[in-house]
Amino acid sequence: MKRPAAAARWPGIEGVRTADDLSELPLMSPDTLEDLCPPAVTDLVLDSADSGMVLRSSGTSGKRKVLYHSWEFDVRVTHLGARGVRAALTTAPSRVGNCLYPGELNGAFSFAQDLTRRLGAQTYPLGTSMRTEELLEVIREHRIDTLIGSPAMGADLLSDPANLASLASLRTYLYIGENLGAARAAVMTEAIPGLRVRSLSYSTSETGPIGYQCPFQGDGTHHVHDDAMFVEVVDPETGAEVADGEEGEVITTTLTDTGMPLVRFRMGDRAIRHTTGGCACGSPTSRITLTGRVPRSLNVDGATISQDLVMAQLRGLGVADPADCQFQVRRAPDRGFDVVLLLADRLAVRPTGDEVLRRLREGYHLGRVFAMPGFRGFTLRHVPTADFVRNTRGKTPFFVEL
Ligand SMILES: [Zn+2]
């Protein structure tokens, strides 16, 4: 490492020569990164702290992670992103509508702009706040063939039959930000048969692109940019690498001397590791299938509840996919809280509020929430997933506090 201050953060790193050596180093938690972020600390800024792009991502403990990426790092990010899209598509996009969220120190929008430029295509910087009618008009009049957006945005746009006439030119939808999921994939490909729905990139603000798809992969499955990232899939408890076909937490080490060094960084994503069998495309690069976030938890007046606890109870009612649920804790202005559970109206089952509440009360730890003095009431709503609360990046969190 060219910065002694950065190297000092990982005792023993100077002796690392092989992947086995690396696995001796401790895992790096996102909380640690929050404490090392500029401008308070610049130990992990490898090159310029004066030129480049500053991004921010949400932290796990309420702090924000601020990242100083030099222009040199930005060039690398664009290169990897464009290379990934070339691998995913057998024919290059020509007219690309960028429907990602611009601004607020969020890098995805400019990432899509830059890689579209690198691909030699035409970009339409549409953003996320255009009215649907206006958006459809631009797509129709300019014959936009590719849209880049969140999985939720794509599914919403394509699920309304009234929109389809304006989308006749659309050949490709590139999603980023979270997994697509089988239900949303089905909505999109049923709306436009033959539509190519691919991951734009498995990427984060901290690392830049980690994975890309080939034409034989879908949903969460990605090849890894092995020349830029060293990815492990480990048991979150022990830190040991899981066996082929097993699920664990994604750990990334960035192979770079620009941007921010991350060594065995816990991504918070769950994935299945594939080491045997090979991919139909013939590429020998590593492969992982992202399966979701490491279970998130929420603290309600001292009781910590997790996504797994909630899903364990809902499964008995025929609700199996966390993407179909949103658990909202609504704080009252004075004191106390209401719990609102949203279930996707596309589910085949339609349990009643009483049935769901009874199940949740029976749940281990979970029952405590409904026995608290602050608990005021429970409401179940069957709504389109478009009505789920989203954060500014278009993601639909499982737990929401309002
Ligand atoms: Zn492949």
Side-chain angles (χ1 to χ4, degrees), residues 212-217 223 278-283 285 287:
Y212 63 96
Q213 286 188 334
C214 74
F216 296 92
Q217 295 170 322
H223 283 287
C279 182
C281 74
S283 168
T285 57
R287 287 166 298 131

Short mmCIF file of all heavy atoms in Angstrom, two decimals, residues 212-217 223 278-283 285 287, ligand 1:
data_model
loop_
_atom_site.label_atom_id
_atom_site.label_comp_id
_atom_site.label_asym_id
_atom_site.label_seq_id
_atom_site.Cartn_x
_atom_site.Cartn_y
_atom_site.Cartn_z
N TYR A 212 -20.78 -8.65 -12.92
CA TYR A 212 -21.50 -8.35 -14.16
C TYR A 212 -22.18 -9.62 -14.61
O TYR A 212 -21.87 -10.71 -14.12
CB TYR A 212 -20.52 -7.86 -15.23
CG TYR A 212 -19.50 -8.90 -15.62
CD1 TYR A 212 -19.68 -9.71 -16.74
CD2 TYR A 212 -18.36 -9.11 -14.84
CE1 TYR A 212 -18.76 -10.69 -17.08
CE2 TYR A 212 -17.45 -10.09 -15.17
CZ TYR A 212 -17.65 -10.88 -16.29
OH TYR A 212 -16.74 -11.87 -16.61
N GLN A 213 -23.11 -9.50 -15.54
CA GLN A 213 -23.79 -10.69 -16.04
C GLN A 213 -23.37 -11.01 -17.46
O GLN A 213 -23.04 -10.12 -18.24
CB GLN A 213 -25.32 -10.49 -16.01
CG GLN A 213 -25.88 -10.56 -14.62
CD GLN A 213 -27.40 -10.56 -14.58
OE1 GLN A 213 -28.06 -10.05 -15.48
NE2 GLN A 213 -27.95 -11.12 -13.52
N CYS A 214 -23.42 -12.29 -17.79
CA CYS A 214 -23.29 -12.72 -19.18
C CYS A 214 -24.70 -13.06 -19.66
O CYS A 214 -25.63 -13.10 -18.86
CB CYS A 214 -22.34 -13.91 -19.28
SG CYS A 214 -23.05 -15.45 -18.68
N PRO A 215 -24.88 -13.31 -20.96
CA PRO A 215 -26.25 -13.57 -21.45
C PRO A 215 -26.89 -14.82 -20.86
O PRO A 215 -28.09 -15.01 -20.99
CB PRO A 215 -26.04 -13.74 -22.96
CG PRO A 215 -24.79 -13.01 -23.26
CD PRO A 215 -23.91 -13.20 -22.06
N PHE A 216 -26.10 -15.66 -20.19
CA PHE A 216 -26.67 -16.89 -19.63
C PHE A 216 -27.10 -16.72 -18.17
O PHE A 216 -27.55 -17.67 -17.54
CB PHE A 216 -25.65 -18.03 -19.74
CG PHE A 216 -25.31 -18.37 -21.16
CD1 PHE A 216 -24.24 -17.77 -21.80
CD2 PHE A 216 -26.10 -19.27 -21.88
CE1 PHE A 216 -23.94 -18.06 -23.12
CE2 PHE A 216 -25.81 -19.56 -23.20
CZ PHE A 216 -24.73 -18.96 -23.83
N GLN A 217 -26.89 -15.53 -17.64
CA GLN A 217 -27.22 -15.31 -16.23
C GLN A 217 -28.39 -14.35 -16.09
O GLN A 217 -28.63 -13.51 -16.95
CB GLN A 217 -25.99 -14.71 -15.50
CG GLN A 217 -24.82 -15.67 -15.46
CD GLN A 217 -23.56 -15.01 -14.96
OE1 GLN A 217 -23.28 -13.86 -15.26
NE2 GLN A 217 -22.77 -15.76 -14.21
N HIS A 223 -21.03 -12.89 -12.81
CA HIS A 223 -19.60 -13.17 -12.82
C HIS A 223 -18.93 -12.08 -11.99
O HIS A 223 -19.47 -10.98 -11.84
CB HIS A 223 -19.04 -13.08 -14.24
CG HIS A 223 -19.36 -14.28 -15.09
ND1 HIS A 223 -18.75 -15.49 -14.92
CD2 HIS A 223 -20.23 -14.44 -16.13
CE1 HIS A 223 -19.22 -16.36 -15.81
NE2 HIS A 223 -20.14 -15.74 -16.55
N GLY A 278 -18.84 -24.50 -14.09
CA GLY A 278 -18.57 -23.55 -15.17
C GLY A 278 -19.84 -22.91 -15.68
O GLY A 278 -20.94 -23.38 -15.43
N CYS A 279 -19.68 -21.81 -16.39
CA CYS A 279 -20.83 -21.09 -16.95
C CYS A 279 -20.93 -21.44 -18.43
O CYS A 279 -19.93 -21.67 -19.10
CB CYS A 279 -20.63 -19.59 -16.77
SG CYS A 279 -22.02 -18.62 -17.39
N ALA A 280 -22.16 -21.45 -18.93
CA ALA A 280 -22.41 -21.80 -20.34
C ALA A 280 -21.69 -20.85 -21.30
O ALA A 280 -21.43 -21.20 -22.46
CB ALA A 280 -23.91 -21.79 -20.62
N CYS A 281 -21.35 -19.65 -20.82
CA CYS A 281 -20.66 -18.70 -21.70
C CYS A 281 -19.19 -19.05 -21.89
O CYS A 281 -18.52 -18.50 -22.76
CB CYS A 281 -20.79 -17.27 -21.16
SG CYS A 281 -19.75 -16.94 -19.73
N GLY A 282 -18.68 -19.95 -21.04
CA GLY A 282 -17.29 -20.38 -21.17
C GLY A 282 -16.30 -19.57 -20.36
O GLY A 282 -15.13 -19.93 -20.27
N SER A 283 -16.75 -18.48 -19.75
CA SER A 283 -15.82 -17.66 -18.97
C SER A 283 -15.41 -18.39 -17.69
O SER A 283 -16.25 -18.95 -17.00
CB SER A 283 -16.48 -16.33 -18.59
OG SER A 283 -15.70 -15.68 -17.61
N THR A 285 -14.27 -16.95 -15.05
CA THR A 285 -14.26 -16.05 -13.89
C THR A 285 -15.23 -16.55 -12.81
O THR A 285 -16.16 -17.30 -13.10
CB THR A 285 -14.67 -14.61 -14.28
OG1 THR A 285 -15.95 -14.64 -14.89
CG2 THR A 285 -13.67 -14.00 -15.25
N ARG A 287 -18.15 -16.94 -9.99
CA ARG A 287 -19.59 -16.68 -10.09
C ARG A 287 -20.23 -16.71 -8.72
O ARG A 287 -19.89 -17.55 -7.88
CB ARG A 287 -20.27 -17.73 -10.97
CG ARG A 287 -19.98 -17.59 -12.46
CD ARG A 287 -20.38 -18.84 -13.21
NE ARG A 287 -19.61 -19.98 -12.75
CZ ARG A 287 -20.13 -21.16 -12.41
NH1 ARG A 287 -21.43 -21.35 -12.48
NH2 ARG A 287 -19.36 -22.14 -11.98
ZN ZN B 1 -21.30 -16.66 -18.06
#
